[in-house]
Amino acid sequence: MKFIVKFFPEITIKSKPVRKQFVKNLSDNLKKLLLPLHESVRIQKDWDKLVVHCDSNDEQLRGQMIDTLACTPGIAYFLDVVEFPLGDMHDVFEKTQQIWGQRLAGKTFVVRCKRAGKHDFNSNDLERYVGGGLLQHTDAAGVKLRDPDVTVNLEVRDDKLYVVNDRHEGLGGFPLGSIDPVLSLISGGFDSTVSTYLTMKRGMRTHFCFFNLGGRDHEIGVKEVALYLWMKYGASSRVRFVTVPFEGVVSEILKNIDDSQMGVVLKRMMLRAGAKVAQSLNVQALVTGDSVAQVSSQTLTNLTVVDAATDMLVLRPLITMDKGDIIKLSAQIGTEPFAAAMPEYCGVISVKPTTRAKMDRIENQEQKFDFDLIDKAVAEAQFVNIDKIDLAEMATTEVEVLNVPIQDGIIIDVRHPSEEERKPLVIKNVAIEKIPFYELHSKFAELDKSKVYLLYCDKGVMSRLHASHLVEQGYGNVKVYRPL
């Protein structure tokens, strides 16, 4: 199989040295992502494109490669093509008919050709010949030059013919790692997950920083969504997940800060701690999910006061986005189910929060605060490589793990739908239900309690964690299925 990868347009307008570096970054990223799928993958760099080759024509592998390319920053679109040696125009027609003949039945179509090299025909000649042949020898409804049902795309490059089997849209943005790294302050909700995705899409290697305000389930939920974001959009680059214990900071705010000022002070403390974490990672900017006036702490006045807590640059990708648009984008990138099911914990809720914080009053309030608690929280922060997170370690109850299904047992595939669709679980004579882990706890109570359920995921991590939670809740009919 072969894919022609077209660059995001902003890459093509860079200076020659910068463009070469961006293309190298994209090529290196694709090697890291695609080689684990098949050892024959190789990537050819050209000035205006990358060509991805693979010796296999396995359809499941094709789907995995398409999914990977579609989620890799730096790609405008890519073409799934079939390559042939270039013959005469009739040979081109026959090759095109092999791929498109049956797909044109009952539809209007047009043939479009891009050509490079010296040939005894031009692009218009080839379009007319192939289009006429397809019209005569297929059940197409007719040729339509404007707004056809189907566009048949051909590329002729010197002595090669490429018949485009399909076109897929890419993410756009810049290749991951081509822009300086950032640290995203992530809470797991709609806003922080979307803002994190947007910095990754823009080419920034994005580390994760979670302020633990006292909730174990919340920490688990944030790690789950961080892993999802990294695996889907950023797995070509190693980043860290940092957990900062903030219970002491929250307690100090509740004891010593006036009710109306607590939200702004908490945000300032998070920026101070985040800046210290960022400096330890050699990162120059923080990322937050703030949107103007969405909540009381996000008025322009309050954001100005919050930002004054640190000299570090604070990026806010969502600053002018409406909440509905944020949720819509969350659904598109796959984080909506995580955010909707995220356990919430907020230890600082003002009864009448200020929307126009005054710097002198905030500074007076903060004089009552023990700033050693910030240093203590950062000193006790846990840094872990994102790919080394073991959620199963957070399970408090041991669960039986089976290598083979049991008689009359039902396997529950708890993977994210995009992961399950890419690699379906099929076992003969075994009942399999699909319940994503973020819906498992709400739906498990509705299942037949006389049955035994075996939770399954690829690595056995999510399944062990959520099986442990169910056992803690009193369900004795839960095990883990972990095939050898």
Side-chain angles (χ1 to χ4, degrees), residues 60 64 231 411-416 418-426 437 455-464 480-484:
Q60 182 173 323
Q64 291 177 303
M231 291 175 67
I411 293 177
I412 299 180
D413 190 336
V414 301
R415 293 176 296 171
H416 190 278
S418 63
E419 188 180 1
E420 186 276 324
E421 289 173 8
R422 188 169 61 247
K423 191 178 178 182
L425 177 66
V426 179
F437 62 87
L455 307 192
Y456 167 80
C457 68
D458 282 337
K459 296 183 178 180
V461 174
M462 303 291 280
S463 54
R464 286 169 55 199
V480 171
Y481 173 54
R482 183 81 173 103
L484 295 174

Side-chain angles (χ1 to χ4, degrees), residues 193-431:
T193 54
V194 172
S195 62
T196 301
Y197 158 77
L198 290 173
T199 57
M200 296 167 74
K201 174 186 172 183
R202 196 61 179 172
M204 302 174 219
R205 192 159 56 93
T206 303
H207 301 274
F208 302 86
C209 183
F210 168 63
F211 293 101
N212 194 335
L213 305 182
R216 169 178 168 272
D217 288 345
H218 191 183
E219 180 180 359
I220 292 172
V222 174
K223 285 184 173 179
E224 287 174 343
V225 73
L227 270 173
Y228 169 81
L229 280 168
W230 176 77
M231 291 175 67
K232 193 166 183 70
Y233 303 107
S236 62
S237 187
R238 181 71 61 83
V239 296
R240 309 295 292 276
F241 186 98
V242 185
T243 302
V244 182
F246 235 49
E247 299 96 324
V249 173
V250 170
S251 177
E252 183 77 357
I253 289 173
L254 290 171
K255 285 190 297 185
N256 296 317
I257 306 300
D258 287 351
D259 178 273
S260 63
Q261 312 298 310
M262 290 194 301
V264 172
V265 171
L266 177 62
K267 286 287 188 73
R268 283 167 59 88
M269 297 305 170
M270 286 180 171
L271 286 195
R272 289 186 174 106
K276 292 177 182 291
V277 172
Q279 288 167 358
S280 71
L281 295 172
N282 197 27
V283 167
Q284 301 178 39
L286 302 175
V287 179
T288 76
D290 293 320
S291 176
V292 168
Q294 188 181 115
V295 296
S296 60
S297 64
Q298 294 173 9
T299 63
L300 290 178
T301 301
N302 285 355
L303 289 175
T304 300
V305 173
V306 169
D307 277 5
T310 177
D311 293 331
M312 184 165 284
L313 174 65
V314 180
L315 303 178
R316 295 183 169 92
L318 311 183
I319 195 66
T320 62
M321 289 183 67
D322 298 332
K323 188 68 173 186
D325 294 332
I326 294 170
I327 293 174
K328 187 182 299 182
L329 182 52
S330 177
Q332 292 173 7
I333 65 176
T335 60
E336 180 188 30
F338 293 90
M342 189 66 60
E344 292 190 11
Y345 181 92
C346 185
V348 176
I349 301 176
S350 299
V351 176
K352 293 183 178 180
T354 181
T355 58
R356 293 187 173 276
K358 299 187 182 305
M359 184 62 73
D360 56 350
R361 184 173 181 185
I362 291 293
E363 289 176 342
N364 287 335
Q365 289 287 304
E366 289 183 347
Q367 289 179 5
K368 310 172 189 176
F369 188 89
D370 181 2
F371 280 90
D372 288 342
L373 291 171
I374 297 291
D375 295 331
K376 182 174 184 293
V378 174
E380 294 177 354
Q382 296 180 345
F383 292 71
V384 61
N385 289 339
I386 189 74
D387 58 324
K388 300 299 182 184
I389 287 178
D390 187 356
L391 291 170
E393 290 182 353
M394 304 186 76
T396 58
T397 304
E398 287 295 324
V399 181
E400 186 177 1
V401 179
L402 303 177
N403 297 325
V404 295
I406 60 175
Q407 186 175 3
D408 298 327
I410 298 174
I411 293 177
I412 299 180
D413 190 336
V414 301
R415 293 176 296 171
H416 190 278
S418 63
E419 188 180 1
E420 186 276 324
E421 289 173 8
R422 188 169 61 247
K423 191 178 178 182
L425 177 66
V426 179
I427 306 174
K428 289 184 178 180
N429 303 319
V430 176

